[in-house]
Amino acid sequence: MQPTSWQHLPGWHDDNLLSAWSAFQTSCEKLSRKPDWASVCNDARHVDPLDSRAIRRYFEQRFTPFTLVNSDGSTVGTITGYYEPVLRGSRTRQGPYQVPLYRNLGNSSLMAASRSQLIKSGVLRGRELVWVDDPVEAAFLQIQGSGRIKLAEGGEMRVGFAGATDQPFQSFARWLLDHGEITPAQATLPGIKAWANANPDRVQEMLNVNPRFVFFRELDSGHKSNDGPIGAQGVPLTPERSIAIDPKEIPLGAPVFLSTTRPLSNQRMQRLMLAQDTGSAIKGTVRADFFWGHGDEASLNAGRMKQPGQMWVFLPNRQ
């Protein structure tokens, strides 16, 4: 990290900070317990949440921006995207709902097993949390880590990450590309679902390319339908204001200013984000996963996003 001035943040004075402020206050629910953050989070309570200039003045007075720098000295990294999938399912196995999502196994010796080994072992029987109707969408849910299940019985189940096996993530989309099964333009959820529908006997072969297996838990009733999924910081994520980062490089909950571009374009996207989540593939200093929200548009943006970007983390001034 290299300290810098506010004038060096491109677009800092153009960002509407109101939605970022709400996300920052959510982060402060956890950060306020830490000595370095208690004072700034307490002072945040006295800032008018509807006054963008007052919010900007608060950050400029209470924080120092630090340019994030890669180990090779460069300041540009990769910004990808993720989203909260919406699936169809049932609490009981019936009709089209034949694909289970599982609860965590606990301290099982099979946590080092691959996906195929775990399924063949039979240890997952009885650990079903919910049944969904599409194996590819279930696999994408494992990659994203949380989602919504529209239940056949009525209502909606929110599920969150509850652990994973000790295996590295491997992209089945990359496997399909490398084997010439799909084109780069088809490396999206709709494109891979279309391939699966045309090759039903090869779906498990494709899914087993990724040995990592993710478990889920049902979020309690206190988690409102308009709340985002729970990130690694333990707070709900805010669409287009939350990012996943490498916690070895950036403190969880910290404000991070991001300068990148929208998916597949040169349209600038410069805004204040909150480092509220992590991900197994998010490693390095100038590296982030941008949370787009839920629904079809969020899925499309997340799937297309792999943009260059720069990042600045805000750390509290010493009092």
Side-chain angles (χ1 to χ4, degrees):
M1 298 182 186
Q2 297 177 352
T4 188
S5 65
W6 296 100
Q7 289 74 23
H8 288 139
L9 274 60
W12 166 244
H13 289 283
D14 299 323
D15 187 21
N16 185 335
L17 298 177
L18 300 187
S19 59
W21 184 249
S22 176
F24 174 68
Q25 290 181 308
T26 302
S27 273
C28 268
E29 294 174 11
K30 301 288 185 178
L31 288 175
S32 60
R33 303 169 191 172
K34 299 183 177 183
D36 292 347
W37 292 85
S39 177
V40 293
C41 283
N42 182 62
D43 287 351
R45 300 173 185 171
H46 307 293
V47 177
D48 184 349
L50 300 179
D51 188 337
S52 187
R53 285 183 293 183
I55 293 170
R56 184 172 287 104
R57 187 164 56 248
Y58 161 84
F59 281 114
E60 291 177 351
Q61 292 175 348
R62 298 306 311 272
F63 290 81
T64 296
F66 290 79
T67 305
L68 292 173
V69 183
N70 293 312
S71 57
D72 63 2
S74 65
T75 60
V76 176
T78 301
I79 313 300
T80 50
Y82 70 119
Y83 69 105
E84 184 183 23
V86 180
L87 289 76
R88 295 177 298 275
S90 171
R91 291 184 182 274
T92 59
R93 187 177 189 178
Q94 56 164 309
Y97 309 113
Q98 299 293 319
V99 181
L101 304 179
Y102 293 99
R103 299 178 178 88
N104 201 307
L105 290 175
N107 296 320
S108 170
S109 60
L110 285 170
M111 290 299 282
S114 69
R115 177 187 187 277
S116 60
Q117 291 170 334
L118 198 59
I119 292 173
K120 289 178 182 177
S121 72
V123 71
L124 294 173
R125 282 196 291 271
R127 303 294 300 173
E128 296 87 358
L129 174 65
V130 64
W131 301 83
V132 298
D133 65 352
D134 191 295
V136 177
E137 290 195 354
F140 269 79
L141 178 62
Q142 291 212 1
I143 295 170
Q144 304 303 318
S146 58
R148 302 168 184 242
I149 316 293
K150 293 189 178 298
L151 296 171
E153 300 90 339
E156 184 177 79
M157 176 191 289
R158 302 291 294 277
V159 296
F161 180 84
T165 55
D166 303 325
Q167 290 282 343
F169 169 75
Q170 299 291 335
S171 171
F172 49 80
R174 171 51 55 191
W175 180 82
L176 289 170
L177 284 167
D178 289 346
H179 286 76
E181 298 288 341
I182 60 174
T183 66
Q186 295 170 323
T188 61
L189 175 56
I192 294 173
K193 284 182 65 174
W195 179 90
N197 289 335
N199 299 273
D201 57 331
R202 299 184 63 196
V203 170
Q204 291 307 316
E205 177 190 4
M206 175 193 72
L207 297 181
N208 286 339
V209 166
N210 180 21
R212 192 168 188 261
F213 197 86
V214 172
F215 304 96
F216 295 94
R217 63 185 176 90
E218 181 175 2
L219 300 182
D220 60 43
S221 57
H223 194 73
K224 301 173 184 176
S225 62
N226 59 341
D227 285 342
I230 301 297
Q233 196 199 1
V235 300
L237 304 181
T238 299
E240 301 189 38
R241 289 292 179 176
S242 297
I243 53 173
I245 48 80
D246 185 343
K248 294 180 180 178
E249 307 292 342
I250 299 172
L252 262 178
V256 175
F257 193 76
L258 174 66
S259 178
T260 185
T261 51
R262 295 187 67 84
L264 300 180
S265 81
N266 293 319
Q267 183 182 346
R268 291 178 182 174
M269 191 163 63
Q270 298 169 327
R271 61 182 64 178
L272 181 59
M273 310 293 294
L274 277 300
Q276 295 174 327
D277 205 2
T278 61
S280 60
I282 312 304
K283 303 296 180 186
T285 307
V286 189
R287 177 74 176 93
D289 215 11
F290 186 100
F291 178 63
W292 283 99
H294 74 277
D296 292 342
E297 185 177 356
S299 170
L300 192 62
N301 283 325
R304 290 175 170 177
M305 189 165 189
K306 191 174 183 180
Q307 311 295 112
Q310 293 178 289
M311 298 162 60
W312 294 260
V313 63
F314 300 175
L315 297 181
N317 297 327
R318 295 185 181 275
Q319 298 299 302

